[in-house]
Amino acid sequence: YQIPDDWPYQEARRLFKEPEVSTDDEVLNLKWSPPDEEGLITFLVNENGFNSDRVTKAIEKIKAAKNKSSQGR
C-alpha cells in the first residue's frame, strides 16, 4: 500500500499524541438501544462484502447480550 504524498501525517501524529479526551465535567449521555439490523446489514454486507450469515448471527448475539445482566465482580 502506497501512502499518498498529500496525506496529512502531521495531523495524524498530533491526533495520536494529543487525542481529544472528554473531561469529568462533560456529561456523556450514552444509551443502549436495539441495533439497526437493516442498517448494519446494508453497511456490512452490501457495502463492505461481509458474510450475511455471520453478520446476522452477530446481531442476534448483540440482542441476546442486551437482555442479560451486567458482569459482576
Side-chain angles (χ1 to χ4, degrees), residues 26-38:
E26 297 177 34
V27 177
L28 298 177
N29 186 14
L30 301 176
K31 82 176 181 184
W32 287 95
S33 61
D36 175 9
E37 294 180 43
E38 288 183 29

Side-chain angles (χ1 to χ4, degrees), residues 20-24 26 28:
E20 294 179 19
V21 179
S22 297
T23 64
D24 290 338
E26 297 177 34
L28 298 177

Side-chain angles (χ1 to χ4, degrees), residues 4-61:
D5 291 333
D6 61 345
W7 192 74
Y9 71 92
Q10 291 174 331
E11 178 66 12
R13 181 180 294 149
R14 187 191 64 74
L15 287 172
F16 276 100
K17 289 185 170 188
E18 302 167 16
E20 294 179 19
V21 179
S22 297
T23 64
D24 290 338
D25 297 338
E26 297 177 34
V27 177
L28 298 177
N29 186 14
L30 301 176
K31 82 176 181 184
W32 287 95
S33 61
D36 175 9
E37 294 180 43
E38 288 183 29
L40 284 170
I41 291 171
T42 299
F43 177 72
L44 294 173
V45 177
N46 299 342
E47 296 178 19
N48 291 296
F50 281 65
N51 181 294
S52 177
D53 293 333
R54 292 184 73 184
V55 170
T56 304
K57 287 178 185 177
I59 291 170
E60 292 303 320
K61 286 182 183 179

